[in-house]
Amino acid sequence: MKKRFLAWLYGDQDVMDGILDNFNKPDVSHSELKKITRAAEEEYDHRPEVLEAIGRDRARFRTIYLVIAFISCIMLTLVLLYTVSLLPEYGAENPRAVEVVSRYVEDGLEETGAVNIVSGMILDYRAFDTLGESHVLFTALICVMILLRIDRKNQRSDYEDYYTVRTDTYFDLSTDPVLRLVCAVIVPCILLYGIYILLNGQNSPGGGFSGGAVLGAGMILFSVAFGFDKADRFFTLKVSNIVTFVSLGFYSFAKGYVFFMGANGLENHIPKGTPGAIFSGGMILPLDIAVGCVVGCTMFGFYSLFRRGSIGGQI
Amino acid sequence: MIEWIRFWITAVILFCGILAFILEVAGLFRLGFVMNRMHASGIGDSFGLGCVVFAMIISSGLNLDSLKLFLLILFMWLTSPVSTHFLSRIEVNTNPFIARYVRFGTDYGKK
């Protein structure tokens, strides 16, 4: 007893060893265990019949891939060359460019109902282009998610991530009272300003992209100041997915409807409203809101994925 | 007469603000250590900007524009010191040779 007490006193032996922790203590060290498992896995994967099957699959895939790549390259080249052949000659007077610009400036307010001509251009005349841009943002979010998202297959324990967890808690800004106090004042103002920009896109400089960026930046500041736990209570992966899907779906549906029913001089029966009012410009305001939602979700999703590998903390 | 007094008050405060900005630029380019440079730029960002915008408020009188300018001062004074605070915090946390430049805690005041 005394010997054991002295051993505990001088730190030679931990009395609680085997009682409190280290339930499954392996006989070998962690790195050695990793090495042994990897060797066994490699031996299993590199069986001759498996290697042969993989080689066969790879050769078949390579042939098909080459054929499809060749055909699509040729077709793309032909389409681009045909388009180039339709362009006016270099240096010649290009009537289309002059006509389009003067039409936008002179008849933009009357035809789109938007005081801000840029908004009328990107969300009415060229709304299809903006639709593609929103989908590009969505695709970028998906790509970042594929690359950085932590799921059950590549999840690491806090023990393996010891250094990352240490530095993350050490540099965590959410414990700072200065930032918390200032952000409690600033963040609502930023979000309100973002909503103002979003709703006034047809009347003043602004619109979906800038308003969504301000909203996303406000969300990022909120999660920096108060921690991800607070942001997770209302912005989960499910919410992000639903908001993005509803926005993009509404945009595609509404713009497709307008293209098929109202474009090319046909009668457009969506009212334009009085220029300068909030409800003016026909479809521009709802489309602005949809684009803003997508941009905000994408910005906050980027930040969240780069910082901790998930949106909303779920794995 | 009132206009004349207003013009001179505006001019004096504006001159103070411009002096602070000159100090800021000089300190930013002449000083070597990052904390000193942050201090120099803090002078311009807080005092200089406050002076210049306050001079604008006086010259424009009491109306909606002066309210917007007042909000500008408010938000700049809220956000600029906080960002400077975090820059200095990161510098203290990450610079291994920080003790060469700064005295901490109980060392403060010793030679």
Side-chain angles (χ1 to χ4, degrees):
Chain A
M1 187 68 194
K2 191 187 171 191
K3 198 178 160 192
R4 215 174 148 209
F5 175 73
L6 280 179
W8 171 74
L9 189 64
Y10 293 120
D12 294 335
Q13 188 202 345
D14 188 3
V15 189
M16 288 298 172
D17 201 8
I19 299 172
L20 269 186
D21 49 4
N22 299 332
F23 287 110
N24 300 317
K25 202 173 180 180
D27 297 333
V28 290
S29 72
H30 186 73
S31 56
E32 227 170 301
L33 196 66
K34 235 178 187 175
K35 232 178 269 174
I36 293 168
T37 353
R38 189 165 297 160
E41 274 176 5
E42 271 183 14
E43 197 186 335
Y44 184 75
D45 284 348
H46 291 182
R47 285 168 295 166
E49 62 267 26
V50 173
L51 283 182
E52 197 183 321
I54 290 176
R56 223 183 302 127
D57 276 3
R58 203 170 279 167
R60 198 182 299 154
F61 172 76
R62 206 170 161 70
T63 323
I64 297 171
Y65 178 81
L66 275 177
V67 168
I68 292 177
F70 189 73
I71 292 173
S72 47
C73 276
I74 293 285
M75 283 177 70
L76 188 66
T77 315
L78 288 178
V79 168
L80 288 178
L81 281 176
Y82 178 68
T83 315
V84 167
S85 74
L86 293 180
L87 290 177
E89 272 183 39
Y90 182 74
E93 184 81 10
N94 188 359
R96 270 180 226 162
V98 184
E99 274 172 25
V100 166
V101 171
S102 61
R103 169 82 175 266
Y104 283 169
V105 173
E106 284 165 10
D107 301 339
L109 178 61
E110 194 186 324
E111 286 182 359
T112 65
V115 179
N116 183 8
I117 298 175
V118 177
S119 253
M121 227 183 282
I122 65 168
L123 286 169
D124 198 292
Y125 290 119
R126 302 189 171 186
F128 207 54
D129 177 63
T130 314
L131 177 66
E133 281 166 18
S134 332
H135 280 92
V136 163
L137 281 174
F138 178 58
T139 316
L141 183 63
I142 290 175
C143 292
V144 171
M145 211 182 254
I146 288 169
L147 289 174
L148 294 181
R149 193 179 165 201
I150 293 172
D151 55 10
R152 289 193 189 83
K153 283 177 190 163
N154 59 3
Q155 190 188 12
R156 299 198 293 173
S157 64
D158 283 357
Y159 173 73
E160 281 173 298
D161 258 346
Y162 179 70
Y163 184 72
T164 317
V165 171
R166 253 311 274 289
T167 47
D168 215 38
T169 48
Y170 187 62
F171 293 116
D172 193 12
L173 300 181
S174 65
T175 55
D176 196 288
V178 177
L179 187 70
R180 290 185 87 113
L181 183 64
V182 170
C183 282
V185 179
I186 289 286
V187 167
C189 300
I190 292 177
L191 293 181
L192 194 67
Y193 186 59
I195 292 170
Y196 164 75
I197 294 177
L198 205 61
L199 293 185
N200 269 288
Q202 72 274 36
N203 297 331
S204 59
F209 287 100
S210 34
V214 172
L215 280 179
M219 286 282 299
I220 290 173
L221 187 62
F222 177 79
S223 65
V224 165
F226 301 104
F228 274 115
D229 299 338
K230 291 274 167 58
D232 288 346
R233 291 172 71 176
F234 62 92
F235 196 87
T236 57
L237 183 62
K238 204 175 174 186
V239 171
S240 166
N241 284 346
I242 288 175
V243 168
T244 312
F245 171 73
V246 168
S247 305
L248 286 178
F250 169 73
Y251 195 125
S252 310
F253 177 76
K255 216 55 220 177
Y257 178 78
V258 171
F259 273 131
F260 288 120
M261 305 304 289
N264 292 331
L266 292 173
E267 184 63 35
N268 186 0
H269 52 80
I270 294 166
K272 291 200 180 71
T274 49
I278 283 205
F279 291 106
S280 67
M283 288 303 289
I284 291 180
L285 177 65
L287 296 184
D288 253 345
I289 294 173
V291 172
C293 287
V294 174
V295 173
C297 283
T298 307
M299 274 192 65
F300 186 70
F302 275 0
Y303 171 74
S304 188
L305 282 168
F306 274 100
R307 178 84 192 276
R308 58 173 183 172
S310 69
I311 296 176
Q314 297 153 345
I315 290 169
Chain B
M1 186 64 191
I2 292 283
E3 288 296 312
W4 197 239
I5 293 171
R6 181 185 272 179
F7 169 76
W8 275 108
I9 292 175
T10 306
V12 168
I13 299 177
L14 203 61
F15 185 73
C16 284
I18 290 170
L19 214 64
F21 277 123
I22 291 171
L23 269 176
E24 170 188 355
V25 172
L28 199 61
F29 282 102
R30 292 296 299 172
L31 295 175
F33 182 49
V34 59
M35 295 283 199
N36 299 342
R37 299 174 71 181
M38 261 191 270
H39 177 220
S41 65
I43 290 172
D45 281 349
S46 310
F47 181 71
L49 186 119
C51 278
V52 169
V53 179
F54 189 62
M56 294 297 143
I57 289 176
I58 288 177
S59 90
S60 101
L62 277 180
N63 48 30
L64 198 63
D65 292 342
S66 61
L67 181 69
K68 284 177 187 168
L69 289 170
F70 176 72
L71 285 178
L72 186 71
I73 295 185
L74 193 72
F75 283 116
M76 283 306 286
W77 278 6
L78 270 177
T79 52
S80 167
V82 173
S83 56
T84 314
H85 167 69
F86 280 110
L87 279 178
S88 58
R89 206 179 116 160
I90 286 170
E91 173 70 18
V92 168
N93 280 341
T94 56
N95 191 351
F97 308 113
I98 191 75
R100 283 184 198 169
Y101 307 98
V102 185
R103 270 190 235 114
F104 288 107
T106 52
D107 291 345
Y108 186 74
K110 285 183 192 165
K111 281 285 172 184

